[in-house]
């Protein structure tokens, strides 16, 4: 039976834990790596059969323009060498838009306890203040509501026919040739249409 993460808390923060960058082999911490950034973290292991597909999805999201202000991160929780082999399996490193880190087993347990997870892939979404605002499996995280997403301006909804204002008075016309084009119409369209005689 799998445990579900505890409900989100406004005060929940990512614990400060040591990490190793898989590209540079430099040591850092979760605080230093994520400070001041909107971050989506994917915790994974080399033995997880669903994790490569989850990283494919994460890399795809990172390429979309609306996520330009969001940093995507993977943290491997088991073998550092195994993670490098998975990521660098081909000549071109996989998941090139995702920053890859490794976390030692002793710190993994603290991350699991603090964030409340027992299986991977597991996501933690943080705002630029370091607050964990969403966490859980792919089903529990709304990737359309990630902090820092660039949202397109919303179009105003079209006015319903019943709501339109038809208060302009209508003049009675006896002959079509008596109609003069409206100056507004001329300004808007830069041309006036006339009806052909055979219309």
């Amino acid at each position: 039976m799998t445990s579900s993460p505890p409900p989100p808390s406004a005060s929940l923060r990512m614990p400060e834990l040591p990490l190793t960058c898989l590209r540079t082999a430099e040591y850092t911490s979760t605080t230093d790596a994520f400070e001041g950034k909107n971050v989506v973290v994917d915790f994974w292991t080399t033995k997880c059969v669903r994790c490569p597909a989850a990283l494919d999805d994460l890399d795809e999201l990172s390429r979309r323009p609306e996520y330009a202000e969001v940093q995507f991160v993977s943290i491997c929780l088991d073998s550092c060498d195994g993670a490098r082999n998975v990521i660098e399996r081909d000549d071109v490193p996989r998941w090139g838009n995702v920053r890859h880190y490794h976390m030692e087993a002793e710190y993994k347990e603290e991350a699991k306890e603090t964030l409340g997870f027992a299986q991977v892939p597991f996501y933690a979404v943080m705002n630029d203040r370091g607050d964990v605002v969403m966490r859980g499996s792919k089903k529990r995280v709304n990737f359309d509501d990630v902090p820092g997403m660039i949202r397109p301006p919303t179009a105003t909804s079209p006015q319903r026919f019943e709501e339109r204002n038809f208060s302009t008075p209508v003049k009675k016309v006896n002959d079509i040739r008596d109609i003069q084009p409206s100056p507004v119409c001329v300004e808007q369209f830069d041309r006036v249409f006339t009806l052909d005689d055979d219309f």
Side-chain angles (χ1 to χ4, degrees), residues 11-17 19 29-31 34 39-43 75 103 110-111 114-115 117 122-126 130-132:
S11 63
L12 181 64
R13 297 179 68 80
M14 177 72 76
E16 182 167 7
L17 299 169
L19 298 172
S29 71
T30 51
T31 303
F34 311 146
V39 183
V40 176
V41 179
D42 177 7
F43 292 95
I75 298 178
M103 183 180 287
E110 186 177 343
T114 303
L115 297 172
F117 69 97
F122 181 87
Y123 300 97
V125 179
M126 293 175 291
D131 300 319
V132 177

Side-chain angles (χ1 to χ4, degrees), residues 66-115:
E66 60 266 34
Y67 294 99
E69 301 297 320
V70 178
Q71 185 178 69
F72 290 87
V73 171
S74 82
I75 298 178
C76 181
L77 299 173
D78 58 0
S79 168
C80 186
D81 289 334
R84 281 195 182 108
N85 289 338
V86 170
I87 293 167
E88 299 170 0
R89 184 176 66 190
D90 302 318
D91 290 338
V92 178
R94 295 170 78 185
W95 312 302
N97 292 321
V98 177
R99 295 175 188 237
H100 302 283
Y101 296 94
H102 176 260
M103 183 180 287
E104 295 292 337
E106 61 188 282
Y107 304 111
K108 167 183 84 169
E109 294 307 318
E110 186 177 343
K112 287 171 58 178
E113 184 178 326
T114 303
L115 297 172

Side-chain angles (χ1 to χ4, degrees), residues 3-74:
S3 64
S4 61
S9 164
S11 63
L12 181 64
R13 297 179 68 80
M14 177 72 76
E16 182 167 7
L17 299 169
L19 298 172
T20 304
C21 178
L22 292 177
R23 288 197 181 126
T24 65
E26 293 176 1
Y27 294 102
T28 187
S29 71
T30 51
T31 303
D32 291 339
F34 311 146
E35 188 173 21
K37 301 173 181 116
N38 298 297
V39 183
V40 176
V41 179
D42 177 7
F43 292 95
W44 65 288
T45 67
T46 58
K47 296 177 179 105
C48 167
V49 295
R50 294 174 301 164
C51 290
L55 285 165
D56 286 340
D57 293 343
L58 210 63
D59 191 60
E60 180 63 34
L61 283 178
S62 70
R63 295 172 191 271
R64 292 174 39 191
E66 60 266 34
Y67 294 99
E69 301 297 320
V70 178
Q71 185 178 69
F72 290 87
V73 171
S74 82

Side-chain angles (χ1 to χ4, degrees), residues 68-194:
E69 301 297 320
V70 178
Q71 185 178 69
F72 290 87
V73 171
S74 82
I75 298 178
C76 181
L77 299 173
D78 58 0
S79 168
C80 186
D81 289 334
R84 281 195 182 108
N85 289 338
V86 170
I87 293 167
E88 299 170 0
R89 184 176 66 190
D90 302 318
D91 290 338
V92 178
R94 295 170 78 185
W95 312 302
N97 292 321
V98 177
R99 295 175 188 237
H100 302 283
Y101 296 94
H102 176 260
M103 183 180 287
E104 295 292 337
E106 61 188 282
Y107 304 111
K108 167 183 84 169
E109 294 307 318
E110 186 177 343
K112 287 171 58 178
E113 184 178 326
T114 303
L115 297 172
F117 69 97
Q119 61 185 19
V120 292
F122 181 87
Y123 300 97
V125 179
M126 293 175 291
N127 62 22
D128 58 2
R129 294 179 307 281
D131 300 319
V132 177
V133 295
M134 288 186 274
R135 65 185 189 271
S137 66
K138 187 175 182 177
K139 291 179 183 178
R140 291 184 175 259
V141 173
N142 180 0
F143 289 99
D144 292 330
D145 197 26
V146 171
M149 269 187 70
I150 301 167
R151 297 191 190 334
T154 57
T156 55
S157 59
Q159 202 174 23
R160 290 186 3 212
F161 182 79
E162 300 83 31
E163 297 170 347
R164 294 184 186 158
N165 181 3
F166 292 107
S167 62
T168 307
V170 178
K171 290 194 305 185
K172 184 175 179 188
V173 177
N174 293 330
D175 189 346
I176 190 91
R177 289 173 269 201
D178 293 337
I179 298 176
Q180 295 297 318
S182 161
V184 173
C185 180
V186 173
E187 287 174 14
Q188 286 179 347
F189 300 107
D190 291 322
R191 61 181 129 164
V192 178
F193 294 95
T194 56

